[in-house]
Amino acid sequence: MDKMISTASGEVIITNDGATILNQMGVLQPAAKMLVELSKSQDTTAGDGTTTVVVIAGALLKQCLLLLSSGIHPTVISDSLHKASVKAVDVLTAMAVPVELSDRESLVKSASTSLNSKVVSQYSTLLAPLAVDAVLSVVDPAKPDLVDLRDIKIVKKLGGTVDDTEMVKGLVFDKKVSHASGGLTRMENAKIAVIQFQISPPKTDIEQSIVVSDYTQMDRILKEERNYILGMIKKIKATGCNVLLIQKSILRDAVTDLSLHYLAKAKILVVKDVERDDIEFITKTLNCLPIANIEHFKEEKMGYADLVEEVSVGEGKIVKITGIRDMGRTATVLVRGSNQLVLDEADRSLHDALCVIRCLVNKQFLIAGGGAPEIELSRQLGAWAKVLHGMEGYCVRSFAEALEVIPYTLAENAGLNPITIVTELRNRHAQGEINAGINVRKGQITNILEENVVQPLLVSTSAITLATECVRMILKIDDIVTVR
């Protein structure tokens, strides 16, 4: 189910992304803050399973309370939990199925599994392949196991439905081109320059006012300004540049109405107020260099594209740059939605799907979903606990029991009887069906691998190791001291 969060500022967020929910909550209890950090760590490492990791940590803490009340020392529990988590990772790795990046179908399956619990689950047939294509287009053959999600830019635009979401081979700006003085809105065979200087009259370095009492002096100032701007634009035009992307400036106006007028006359298309943070992504995509000074405005620093045009989308307009020559390994996804809440959740869901594919690129193994790995872990760790001696075996058995919280919660959320389902699940796994899991759609237990409910190995292993680490840290605390 989803949560509706109403923030202090009156903003409403609807989501079921664990990390987002915990982030928005004003948590005051210090140990609870550790759980918020825990879900953030899972979001950074794997991107998915942010709810799972907190649920597992909660179940482990509950078991630890029982162990502590039985008189077992925290250090013994902590060491046993560590051993159990290492063993759990080995068991999961043994269960995993290797996957090739060329096997697009498997990648799409795991992306759609991560989207199935989201608000936008009905669009998973569109968003899952889109996420796969986006990640595969930014994978560098030189570093095949590393994917930087900053190379995938998600642009959100209100209007239309999630169905209209598309991947653009090129760049998209969520703004209009400058229309001052009849500025151009379309440019073919574009020579694009990204500039970080201002095309406006210089200002004094210190705050001061100049009193001009004479009209001729005023005229002279305006004439100088005009000549200054014209001189700059002539230099730009001389290089053959016909599209300018101008970085936002804090110190003074990046462009004035006068400079926009001259740029329009020079037949140069202008996109102003480009965010400072986007410059790196833009230059990587266009395969060009940012220009910090008019003196360094050289042709070799520019990027080339077949078409730059302004397109009407929904209620607003966007600028699209397509057909880029020597395009860098980046991708842009234009996400659409009928209202802001759906749009934001589509963005978060797509981020989760991208993270899942990134996990598969990093560690090319798939594992069954639907509570199958947790029950198998619980069974194998339970069997291992019997072999161990003393307190250790007791602690490992508690760890095994804690893992049953995942299939239990899953059954509960699907409206099934959790006790019946978990008992049958245990029974199936005891008979050797390691991929038996809860089929939410059919409301029964089936072979979940055949149903294509799969997730990357990294999501499960990182959830267990991170949750254990967090619980071990909390275990070592014996008192909370508040310093006023």
Side-chain angles (χ1 to χ4, degrees):
M1 305 297 280
D2 297 325
K3 306 284 170 274
M4 181 185 264
I5 304 163
S6 176
T7 61
S9 59
E11 187 191 354
V12 174
I13 298 166
I14 297 175
T15 182
N16 77 350
D17 181 48
T20 309
I21 295 167
L22 288 174
N23 236 340
Q24 296 295 332
M25 281 163 60
V27 178
L28 297 175
Q29 215 270 352
K33 283 182 180 171
M34 289 171 73
L35 291 179
V36 175
E37 292 302 320
L38 172 67
S39 83
K40 278 188 193 166
S41 309
Q42 175 73 0
D43 200 32
T44 313
T45 313
D48 200 18
T50 46
T51 317
T52 308
V53 75
V54 178
V55 171
I56 292 176
L60 284 173
L61 285 170
K62 196 174 172 186
Q63 290 290 350
C64 289
L65 269 180
L66 296 172
L67 293 172
L68 289 168
S69 59
S70 308
I72 303 175
H73 196 275
T75 312
V76 177
I77 303 173
S78 175
D79 293 345
S80 307
L81 288 184
H82 178 61
K83 278 188 180 172
S85 77
V86 172
K87 175 80 173 169
V89 171
D90 293 342
V91 172
L92 284 173
T93 312
M95 279 177 71
V97 182
V99 64
E100 288 296 323
L101 290 186
S102 51
D103 179 7
R104 188 168 177 275
E105 201 178 318
S106 294
L107 301 181
V108 171
K109 281 176 198 166
S110 47
S112 39
T113 302
S114 102
L115 290 167
N116 277 342
S117 61
K118 312 286 185 197
V119 177
V120 292
S121 58
Q122 67 266 37
Y123 301 110
S124 61
T125 46
L126 163 80
L127 295 178
L130 197 133
V132 173
D133 293 341
V135 173
L136 292 182
S137 64
V138 302
V139 174
D140 188 348
K143 296 190 284 256
D145 53 350
L146 282 177
V147 174
D148 188 352
L149 286 186
R150 284 173 300 192
D151 290 341
I152 301 171
K153 189 170 169 40
I154 298 178
V155 178
K156 299 186 288 186
K157 195 70 181 161
L158 206 58
T161 61
V162 181
D163 272 329
D164 301 325
T165 299
E166 58 173 330
M167 184 174 135
V168 179
K169 285 281 287 172
L171 274 174
V172 172
F173 294 99
D174 184 11
K175 45 171 63 84
K176 299 190 288 192
V177 299
S178 167
H179 289 275
S181 316
L184 303 171
T185 56
R186 180 186 165 92
M187 179 65 70
E188 290 181 13
N189 297 329
K191 282 186 175 183
I192 307 162
V194 180
I195 64 168
Q196 294 177 307
F197 57 86
Q198 297 92 6
I199 307 181
S200 61
K203 281 193 173 159
T204 50
D205 290 340
I206 46 175
E207 280 295 320
Q208 63 181 43
S209 53
I210 302 165
V211 180
V212 181
S213 54
D214 189 357
Y215 281 125
T216 53
Q217 284 176 321
M218 248 165 91
D219 212 30
R220 215 161 76 229
I221 291 170
L222 290 171
K223 209 175 203 173
E224 281 301 320
E225 281 185 5
R226 270 206 305 273
N227 289 343
Y228 177 81
I229 292 169
L230 266 173
M232 286 175 105
I233 292 171
K234 277 178 183 163
K235 279 183 184 169
I236 292 170
K237 191 67 187 165
T239 58
C241 167
N242 53 18
V243 175
L244 269 188
L245 307 179
I246 304 174
Q247 183 181 305
K248 217 176 199 170
S249 171
I250 315 163
L251 300 172
R252 60 176 209 234
D253 301 330
V255 279
T256 60
D257 289 344
L258 187 62
S259 52
L260 285 173
H261 167 77
Y262 285 137
L263 284 164
K265 274 200 162 167
K267 295 276 184 285
I268 295 174
L269 184 145
V270 178
V271 178
K272 57 181 185 176
D273 294 341
V274 172
E275 293 293 340
R276 189 178 293 263
D277 300 342
D278 294 344
I279 294 288
E280 193 182 337
F281 179 81
I282 293 165
T283 49
K284 187 173 183 179
T285 308
L286 290 172
N287 209 353
C288 65
L289 291 168
I291 303 164
N293 193 311
I294 187 72
E295 301 305 325
H296 304 150
F297 207 106
K298 305 278 190 299
E299 197 170 341
E300 59 267 20
K301 290 191 176 182
M302 291 195 277
Y304 299 88
D306 294 343
L307 182 63
V308 178
E309 64 175 335
E310 184 180 82
V311 189
S312 289
V313 169
E315 292 172 2
K317 292 186 174 176
I318 58 167
V319 179
K320 260 189 191 179
I321 302 180
T322 47
I324 299 168
R325 199 190 306 168
D326 300 330
M327 183 173 155
R329 291 190 173 278
T330 61
T332 304
V333 180
L334 180 62
V335 179
R336 308 288 304 284
S338 50
N339 64 43
Q340 198 60 45
L341 296 173
V342 171
L343 195 59
D344 291 342
E345 184 59 2
D347 176 19
R348 283 190 286 269
S349 307
L350 191 59
H351 175 262
D352 278 4
L354 291 170
C355 287
V356 163
I357 308 298
R358 184 189 64 183
C359 286
L360 280 177
V361 173
N362 291 358
K363 208 174 194 178
Q364 297 175 15
F365 285 96
L366 275 176
I367 198 167
E374 285 81 12
I375 277 286
E376 184 60 25
L377 274 180
S378 181
R379 192 185 69 79
Q380 291 205 28
L381 289 175
W384 185 54
K386 289 175 186 166
V387 184
L388 296 168
H389 299 292
M391 298 294 185
E392 213 172 49
Y394 200 62
C395 297
V396 171
R397 192 164 78 234
S398 294
F399 186 100
E401 282 172 21
L403 289 173
E404 287 187 2
V405 70
I406 298 291
Y408 189 94
T409 313
L410 195 60
E412 211 170 37
N413 285 349
L416 309 170
N417 183 338
I419 296 171
T420 317
I421 288 285
V422 174
T423 311
E424 195 191 331
L425 201 52
R426 267 201 222 123
N427 191 14
R428 289 281 195 95
H429 278 259
Q431 289 166 13
E433 296 181 36
I434 61 165
N435 292 323
I438 302 168
N439 188 327
V440 175
R441 297 225 169 94
K442 292 181 182 167
Q444 62 195 61
I445 289 169
T446 56
N447 183 330
I448 217 82
L449 263 190
E450 288 170 9
E451 299 283 345
N452 298 333
V453 178
V454 285
Q455 62 188 26
L457 174 62
L458 194 61
V459 171
S460 293
T461 52
S462 92
I464 284 173
T465 46
L466 289 172
T468 311
E469 226 169 71
C470 181
V471 170
R472 286 180 67 208
M473 194 180 268
I474 294 173
L475 261 180
K476 293 281 178 80
I477 301 166
D478 66 344
D479 215 337
I480 294 175
V481 181
T482 312
V483 182
R484 291 259 175 252

